């Protein structure tokens, strides 16, 4: 993978308050790099990055899945884990719904959700 460790790319979420297209582009570039390696998982240690990569992986329809570092360790130790994707998706949809009429709408609400 071209961008790893100290050279690893940002998930793009930090750009959300300035440029939503940058968020999408950054997330997709990182997921594409992971997919090109044949890896099953993109492991993160940040909840924000996890949320961004989880959404990006699903939106891209890739086989790559985001996994938090704590989940990786738990699995290695034989501790049962759960996939929070559906609950996170519901939560994020509720956030968008709550924000669609706020002053933040131009920044965080997709155009189709503003209708």
């Amino acid at each position: 993978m071209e961008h790893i460790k100290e050279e690893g790319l940002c998930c793009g979420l930090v750009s959300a308050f300035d440029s939503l297209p940058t968020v999408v582009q950054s997330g997709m570039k990182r997921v594409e790099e992971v997919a090109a390696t044949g890896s099953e998982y993109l492991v993160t240690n940040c909840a924000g990055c996890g949320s961004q990569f989880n959404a990006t992986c699903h939106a891209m329809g890739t086989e790559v899945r985001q996994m938090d570092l704590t989940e990786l360790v738990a699995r290695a130790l034989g501790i049962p884990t759960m996939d929070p994707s559906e609950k996170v998706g519901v939560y994020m949809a509720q956030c968008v719904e709550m924000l669609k009429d706020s002053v933040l709408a131009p920044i965080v609400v997709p155009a189709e959700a503003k209708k």
Side-chain angles (χ1 to χ4, degrees):
M1 212 163 105
E2 182 180 350
H3 299 99
I4 59 170
K5 299 182 182 180
E6 294 83 9
E7 301 297 321
L9 298 175
C10 175
C11 73
L13 193 57
V14 73
S15 302
F17 293 106
D18 187 44
S19 171
L20 284 178
T22 300
V23 175
V24 173
Q25 183 181 27
S26 296
M28 289 178 66
K29 181 163 179 57
R30 187 70 166 157
V31 170
E32 287 167 353
E33 280 194 5
V34 173
T37 70
S39 295
E40 293 179 51
Y41 298 102
L42 190 165
V43 179
T44 62
N45 67 345
C46 169
C49 293
S51 177
Q52 161 69 342
F53 287 133
N54 188 26
T56 302
C57 288
H58 286 286
M60 291 175 67
T62 180
E63 296 295 318
V64 174
R65 291 293 170 245
Q66 179 276 330
M67 181 186 294
D68 188 83
L69 181 61
T70 56
E71 182 179 355
L72 180 68
V73 171
R75 284 185 179 191
L77 295 172
I79 299 170
T81 62
M82 60 168 263
D83 181 1
S85 300
E86 185 177 334
K87 289 181 180 181
V88 169
V90 169
Y91 172 77
M92 295 305 287
Q94 290 171 341
C95 290
V96 167
E97 180 64 27
M98 287 179 6
L99 291 171
K100 74 178 184 182
D101 296 323
S102 80
V103 296
L104 296 176
I107 299 170
V108 296
V109 181
E112 63 273 6
K114 292 178 190 176
K115 298 175 184 170

